[in-house]
Amino acid sequence: MIKKLLQGFLFGIGFMVAVLLIISLLNLSGISFTNESKVVNSGASEAYKDKTDWRELNLTDKIEKTSGLALLRFNERENKYMAAYVEKVFTNDKSVKLPVVVGQRIEKSDYYAHEGHLNNRNGVLFIYSGNPPKKMEGAYLYNDRLVGLQDMPLNLFIEKFKALSDN
């Protein structure tokens, strides 16, 4: 009986040593079992932090920090497929070059319309900040109102942006 107990005890110790060795090897290769996160790509984490900070801004601050806008409109294709194209581009400074141009197709903004959405979702406004500009937000337009930005009318948003650009 004691012999079986000792065998089980030795097996347990051997098993624990094997598990510890495996964990050590995984940690050496960069895989961690702790709550600490390792930054692999600082550019990606910076972009995430920028967008997180952006979301916390109020609407006035967002407009003030905006360096460019790209207005997308939809063209209906077959089966109510709505294809998005850049209709207008606005910048607050001639040195700001947005990564989109008028007439460019933006496939990520395409969608299939259904019933009531066919007529009232009529565009997307991409908002860029900084120079070089980074896309910070995309707001859908429903009847030319920015529903994600306090339901502000598109024309008012552009007016406020242009007013700040003139100063």
Side-chain angles (χ1 to χ4, degrees), residues 52-77:
T52 301
D53 292 345
W54 177 266
R55 279 188 226 113
E56 293 175 4
L57 296 174
N58 64 43
L59 186 55
T60 303
D61 291 339
K62 285 181 180 182
I63 295 171
E64 288 175 5
K65 291 186 178 287
T66 298
S67 61
L69 302 170
L71 176 60
L72 282 63
R73 295 293 185 172
F74 298 110
N75 291 332
E76 185 176 355
R77 302 270 175 93

Side-chain angles (χ1 to χ4, degrees), residues 125-138:
L125 184 68
F126 286 169
I127 302 170
Y128 295 86
S129 182
N131 195 8
K134 293 181 197 173
K135 182 178 150 198
M136 303 307 287
E137 187 168 1

Side-chain angles (χ1 to χ4, degrees), residues 40-53:
V40 176
N41 182 348
S42 62
S45 62
E46 271 182 40
Y48 179 76
K49 183 183 178 333
D50 290 346
K51 288 191 178 189
T52 301
D53 292 345

Side-chain angles (χ1 to χ4, degrees), residues 20-153:
L20 290 174
L21 283 173
I22 290 171
I23 290 173
S24 297
L25 290 173
L26 290 175
N27 280 334
L28 287 175
S29 68
I31 300 171
S32 175
F33 291 100
T34 64
N35 287 334
E36 298 173 13
S37 62
K38 294 182 180 182
V39 177
V40 176
N41 182 348
S42 62
S45 62
E46 271 182 40
Y48 179 76
K49 183 183 178 333
D50 290 346
K51 288 191 178 189
T52 301
D53 292 345
W54 177 266
R55 279 188 226 113
E56 293 175 4
L57 296 174
N58 64 43
L59 186 55
T60 303
D61 291 339
K62 285 181 180 182
I63 295 171
E64 288 175 5
K65 291 186 178 287
T66 298
S67 61
L69 302 170
L71 176 60
L72 282 63
R73 295 293 185 172
F74 298 110
N75 291 332
E76 185 176 355
R77 302 270 175 93
E78 62 185 54
N79 298 322
K80 296 184 181 178
Y81 185 75
M82 306 301 282
Y85 292 89
V86 177
E87 181 181 85
K88 293 181 184 175
V89 173
F90 306 92
T91 60
N92 65 355
D93 184 339
K94 290 182 185 341
S95 69
V96 176
K97 302 291 184 213
L98 297 186
V100 296
V101 294
V102 172
Q104 180 180 348
R105 170 102 181 268
I106 310 294
E107 290 184 41
K108 285 187 175 186
S109 295
D110 294 353
Y111 75 103
Y112 282 96
H114 54 33
E115 299 178 26
H117 294 294
L118 181 61
N119 294 322
N120 62 358
R121 185 193 296 180
N122 61 339
V124 181
L125 184 68
F126 286 169
I127 302 170
Y128 295 86
S129 182
N131 195 8
K134 293 181 197 173
K135 182 178 150 198
M136 303 307 287
E137 187 168 1
Y140 281 112
L141 294 163
Y142 286 86
N143 298 323
D144 274 355
R145 298 183 75 83
L146 296 159
V147 292
L149 298 172
Q150 300 176 355
D151 209 26
M152 180 182 272

